[in-house]
Amino acid sequence: MDFTNKVPPDTPLPLARQGSVYSLTFDEFQSTLGGGSKDFGSMNMDELLKSIWNAEETQATMASASGCGPTGTDQQTSGIHRQGSLTLPRTLSQKTVDQVWKDIIGVGTNTGNAGPSSMCPAVPVGIVTKEEIMQKREPTLGEMTLEEFLVRAGVVREEPVPQITPFGVTTPTVCESNFGNLVGSPMQPRPFGGLNNGSVVPGFVGLGPTPVSAPVESPVDLNGNSSDLSPVPVPYVFKGFRGRKGAATVEKVAERRQRRMIKNRESAARSRARKQAYMMELEAEIAKLKEQNKELQEKQVEMMKIEKAKVQEVMSQQPMSKRVCLRRTFTGPCLSKQIR
Amino acid sequence: MNMSRVDPLVLGNVVGDIVDPFYPSASFKVFYNNKEMTSGSELKPSQVAIEPRVQIGGRDMRTLYTLVMVDPDAPSPSNPTKREYLHWLVTDIPETTNASFGNEVVPYENPKPIAGIHRFVFVLFRQTVRQTIDAPGWRSNFNTRDFAQYYNLGSPVASVFFNCQRENGCGGRRYR
């Protein structure tokens, strides 16, 4: 059931990686093919898939040859062969990789290429948030892993987030239509094993029973085309939430995301702490200043009183020169003398 | 005057990262450009390029203080491998005076954060005696706690801090 673990981690392969082909990025994949393949950008989606399968075949062959491939691998390999005649949704197959890529990065605005825009929320990292999606976005095609690309292109479905209760049979029907078999039999054992741990559901977090039909134009094209199923769903479990299937690259990717998320959280926490600390300081300072102000004002009042009293005193002591007393020039020096 | 509550220092994680909880018992003010620095405020590198005037209130000029200024977020808050970076170390500062009356063991190095928003923390210790304190071999990875213990300075008596980022910083964000 664990066909992600098609190859034991330490098996040296010509492809030089420990996971499946799908976990490679475009750049890596290209280099493993020895640069012999033309630049993926101008490749047709069809060609792309073929080259991926070739690579996978090679890998599977190596695995079987070395005698350590699990049973599931063989089955899956043959599964690939059987489905060799896979055809992509019409909307996709004629597009070049570049075009699909452009559609993908136009995520959020592009509904024509049904896959990407609706795919994004389904990235199963356990928590599906916009930030996750944003962070996930690779800056260049070359840095995107094959499976991610396929997922986003709508060729492949992502494994659902575990929190999502299996929709059961009904919902999957429509949106999984291009993956015929897969849809109708969520609980059936598949040759390629525990695909989604036994349950296949559309990987859309937000994809309730009703919206199903809307975003999935291309899949509908292939209604009943079961050939897409076996090889294509392969990537599901790679980046699935239960991605601890063993492939180091899978872990790496998930770890990368996890780390970024953690860093982001820490940064946010620091920011909040900063803000709060400053706020408290200010409040304390305000309180202090208010207190000070109050005291000073009271003091001021006191001083005025004293001053007044002194003046009165001086006045009463000199009843004769009453007019003179009231003159400022006379009281001035008096007061200053008192205060000192 | 540093407030009697330690909370902002706890919130800013100064208590924890650099010092242990303490009871402030000294009047301690820091003035950059003749403006009193509010703990927790944000200052620009240009504003803190010149060493501040440090005012230690009180009455007894015989009491001496040691002042430490560190950056616990060097080189970046998310990766503080150089914690704590020592920016300033002055000893034997008499009460009621300022740092210029003390002994500048490590000269003031003006903050120049590159990545992220750093905290710059002043910690004040009350000395029991006039003592000679040696400069560490390097500024990086200074440890205020160990330092205080080594020189028997006891618990801090005051602490303030400010935040600082690159002059044209964008709040620590590297992208967009």
Side-chain angles (χ1 to χ4, degrees):
Chain A
M1 61 247 93
D2 264 33
F3 60 78
T4 29
N5 209 1
K6 295 194 295 199
V7 188
D10 293 319
T11 307
L13 294 174
L15 294 177
R17 77 292 180 259
Q18 299 170 1
S20 82
V21 178
Y22 292 95
S23 299
L24 294 180
T25 65
F26 269 101
D27 284 341
E28 292 163 0
F29 185 50
Q30 183 141 17
S31 61
T32 59
L33 296 182
S37 63
K38 59 180 175 178
D39 182 22
F40 286 121
S42 45
M43 235 192 224
N44 251 339
M45 290 297 285
D46 271 343
E47 296 172 9
L48 175 67
L49 277 179
K50 283 204 188 87
S51 33
I52 293 176
W53 294 336
N54 285 337
E56 245 189 315
E57 261 177 59
T58 320
Q59 180 198 20
T61 315
M62 297 288 297
S64 327
S66 61
C68 26
T71 338
T73 306
D74 295 341
Q75 289 171 338
Q76 190 247 326
T77 308
S78 45
I80 291 179
H81 287 149
R82 262 202 303 275
Q83 322 299 341
S85 58
L86 158 87
T87 51
L88 286 169
R90 227 162 294 144
T91 52
L92 271 190
S93 62
Q94 296 314 311
K95 282 189 175 174
T96 64
V97 171
D98 264 346
Q99 288 173 341
V100 176
W101 169 242
K102 286 204 178 66
D103 288 336
I104 288 175
I105 57 179
V107 151
T109 57
N110 188 354
T111 48
N113 197 357
S117 32
S118 37
M119 274 309 190
C120 277
V123 173
V125 281
I127 300 165
V128 180
T129 63
K130 260 242 177 78
E131 295 86 310
E132 293 296 318
I133 299 160
M134 293 307 178
Q135 289 166 14
K136 234 187 83 74
R137 199 179 297 182
E138 307 292 351
T140 69
L141 175 60
E143 286 170 13
M144 170 167 286
T145 61
L146 295 175
E147 60 169 305
E148 207 176 303
F149 177 73
L150 292 174
V151 163
R152 293 207 181 160
V155 176
V156 159
R157 294 277 166 185
E158 273 285 1
E159 184 182 343
V161 182
Q163 300 86 288
I164 311 285
T165 52
F167 288 170
V169 191
T170 53
T171 314
T173 315
V174 179
C175 59
E176 294 283 354
S177 53
N178 63 328
F179 309 123
N181 301 352
L182 202 54
V183 173
S185 52
M187 301 307 164
Q188 287 173 16
R190 319 270 340 159
F192 28 87
L195 185 47
N196 299 308
N197 297 312
S199 76
V200 179
V201 290
F204 300 146
V205 176
L207 196 66
T210 36
V212 164
S213 41
V216 286
E217 305 164 356
S218 44
V220 171
D221 282 349
L222 284 195
N223 205 340
N225 185 342
S226 58
S227 55
D228 273 4
L229 281 183
S230 15
V232 162
V234 162
Y236 286 11
V237 286
F238 292 174
K239 288 172 67 168
F241 182 80
R242 306 131 208 245
R244 43 180 157 77
K245 300 285 187 176
T249 40
V250 173
E251 287 176 14
K252 243 192 286 167
V253 168
E255 203 193 307
R256 226 186 291 146
R257 255 187 260 136
Q258 193 69 18
R259 252 184 281 138
R260 186 81 184 94
M261 184 177 78
I262 290 173
K263 273 182 86 176
N264 199 290
R265 293 244 171 99
E266 286 172 2
S267 174
R270 273 198 302 272
S271 177
R272 280 193 299 271
R274 251 200 316 273
K275 184 171 170 183
Q276 223 183 335
Y278 187 42
M279 194 58 58
M280 294 196 73
E281 280 285 354
L282 286 180
E283 286 174 357
E285 204 170 308
I286 287 176
K288 207 177 39 155
L289 288 173
K290 279 189 174 166
E291 188 66 42
Q292 211 177 15
N293 198 23
K294 199 172 78 163
E295 282 171 14
L296 286 173
Q297 294 216 341
E298 283 169 359
K299 231 184 182 177
Q300 170 84 341
V301 170
E302 284 293 319
M303 297 297 277
M304 290 297 285
K305 275 199 206 146
I306 294 172
E307 225 180 271
K308 249 184 173 177
K310 300 291 182 186
V311 172
Q312 300 282 9
E313 208 181 298
V314 170
M315 269 172 52
S316 57
Q317 279 174 4
Q318 322 224 0
M320 277 73 76
S321 49
K322 30 187 178 322
R323 298 283 290 204
V324 180
C325 276
L326 290 173
R327 238 176 260 144
R328 227 188 286 171
T329 49
F330 185 67
T331 51
C334 265
L335 276 174
S336 53
K337 249 203 308 204
Q338 308 275 22
I339 288 174
R340 211 154 294 152
Chain B
M1 161 75 183
N2 200 12
M3 40 189 302
S4 49
R5 289 184 297 156
V6 237
D7 290 329
L9 290 173
V10 173
L11 285 170
N13 280 315
V14 170
V15 170
D17 286 348
I18 302 160
V19 295
D20 294 321
F22 67 94
Y23 288 102
S25 61
S27 159
F28 178 52
K29 298 190 193 194
V30 176
F31 296 82
Y32 273 109
N33 281 331
N34 275 326
K35 193 163 169 245
E36 185 181 349
M37 180 201 85
T38 309
S39 203
S41 58
E42 176 154 343
L43 298 171
K44 290 191 183 176
S46 52
Q47 295 172 294
V48 299
I50 302 180
E51 75 178 48
R53 179 166 58 87
V54 166
Q55 190 70 27
I56 302 178
R59 301 215 186 145
D60 187 357
M61 281 190 72
R62 292 169 300 175
T63 313
L64 303 175
Y65 292 83
T66 291
L67 173 68
V68 177
M69 177 182 171
V70 290
D71 174 5
D73 299 325
S76 102
S78 53
N79 184 29
T81 50
K82 291 194 188 164
R83 171 177 295 180
E84 311 146 23
Y85 187 89
L86 182 63
H87 277 264
W88 205 21
L89 177 56
V90 191
T91 64
D92 297 338
I93 308 172
E95 195 167 289
T96 78
T97 69
N98 60 62
S100 56
F101 287 77
N103 177 27
E104 198 179 50
V105 176
V106 174
Y108 182 79
E109 181 182 301
N110 55 321
K112 272 195 283 251
I114 313 261
I117 304 181
H118 297 216
R119 294 164 290 167
F120 290 91
V121 185
F122 294 92
V123 186
L124 193 69
F125 296 94
R126 189 175 281 129
Q127 294 172 217
T128 47
V129 291
R130 184 176 290 273
Q131 57 189 121
T132 311
I133 289 181
D134 301 318
W138 43 86
R139 292 179 185 253
S140 299
N141 301 116
F142 183 78
N143 189 309
T144 307
R145 280 187 178 96
D146 291 348
F147 169 78
Q149 194 185 34
Y150 185 74
Y151 288 104
N152 283 315
L153 294 169
S155 268
V157 294
S159 176
V160 294
F161 76 103
F162 65 92
N163 297 302
C164 186
Q165 60 177 300
R166 248 174 45 212
E167 193 72 30
N168 55 341
C170 52
R173 286 185 295 277
R174 271 174 294 174
Y175 316 108
R176 280 158 237 179

